[in-house]
Amino acid sequence: MPFLLYLLGLAVFAQATSEFMLSGLGPDISHDLGVSLPATGWLTSAFAIGMVVGAPAIAVLGSRWPRRPALLLTLSLFLVVHVIGALTSSFTILLITRIVAAMANAAFLALALTTATTLVRPDAKGRATAILLSGTTLACIAGVPGGALLGQYYGWRSAFWAVAAICLPALIAAAYQLPSTPPTPSPPRRRGLISNDLVLRLSLGALVNGATFCSFVYLAPVITETADFGAGWVPVMLALFGIGSFAGVTVAGRLADKCPLRVLAVGGTALLVGWCAFGLLAAVPAAVVVLVLVQGALSFAVGSTLIALALYAAADLGVLGAGLATAALNVGAAVGPVLGGLAIAGFGFRAPLWVSAALVAAAAGLVLLTARSTGFTAGDGHPRDPVSGSR
């Protein structure tokens, strides 16, 4: 794999750290900027909304530029707004920087996913995708806990400075190592260009990612209130989930190009069983330790494989296809926690685990309902496209 892929993955690591790190910085921001703690939650919501809206919209605009300038511009913008965020004393300005950062993040990720698939063989898109998405899993392991520690000892602004600093190596590498390529040709305007198969894959990705973040966001109360661990175990468990995620996306990256449908069949079934087991055994500490690791691995293995399949199906759409994939991931990341929060209000801290199981079950049901018309369950998915059968 080209070394440039890993540097692009470093940028994704910085961006994912920025997306999730505010969960540990809210009280400090609230005190420093003189706003209520619930108001700081808007910073996370604004980021998710910016990702969903910005991914396809800015990706289409970015497709009109040569790839290297587009990547440099979006990553530079992401870096600059974090510097502004670190300097501002206005909550309104900070909120605006989060929206702009999310839109830059969405565009960069869409462009990076498309670029990654051009740097490798045509049959290696799954592994290239996994390398980029491993930046997200590493953010769960190191970035988010690291941001929390920086905030604790040096203030919340230090976490923003750290994200900006991490972007620099990737920015320099992109400036000197990215090949000069012309803009991605705009796809012809014809009816049905975005196929039902692509919509299915994106929907499945959103459901599985929704299940992942539905439980991940509310893992802390499950650990402390249901499993009765001490509060000091929370960062350990979050890191354990991240380790599992990294392992899952790494293994899936090697299999997604060879037998993606087998990965989905086996991994998806295990994922559903795992969420059900987690819901049943959430009060058993030993089971919680195992299931946090296993569910992290399965969630990202299945999710990254679905995104790889979406990129195969969207090959003719260029950057727009990657933008739609990015948007689908963030629809799940935005909706899942909302559903989990509603479930907690009515049924307690175990409820998000059961909502996650329901979302994965819904994904399985969607596959069964559409299998006859799409052929999604046929074949091994490689080297031909697993749905269309084309090579």
Side-chain angles (χ1 to χ4, degrees), residues 212-284:
T212 302
F213 284 93
C214 176
S215 289
F216 177 72
V217 169
Y218 300 107
L219 198 56
V222 172
I223 292 167
T224 58
E225 302 297 330
T226 306
D228 204 25
F229 282 99
W233 279 91
V234 172
V236 175
M237 290 294 190
L238 292 176
L240 190 62
F241 184 92
I243 291 170
S245 302
F246 181 75
V249 80
T250 301
V251 173
R254 297 181 179 276
L255 299 177
D257 297 309
K258 298 178 181 179
C259 50
L261 299 185
R262 292 192 182 99
V263 173
L264 293 182
V266 175
T269 301
L271 183 62
L272 175 57
V273 171
W275 285 127
C276 292
F278 207 161
L280 291 170
L281 302 174
V284 181

Side-chain angles (χ1 to χ4, degrees), residues 302-315:
V302 174
S304 64
T305 301
L306 284 168
I307 294 305
L309 287 178
L311 291 176
Y312 276 114

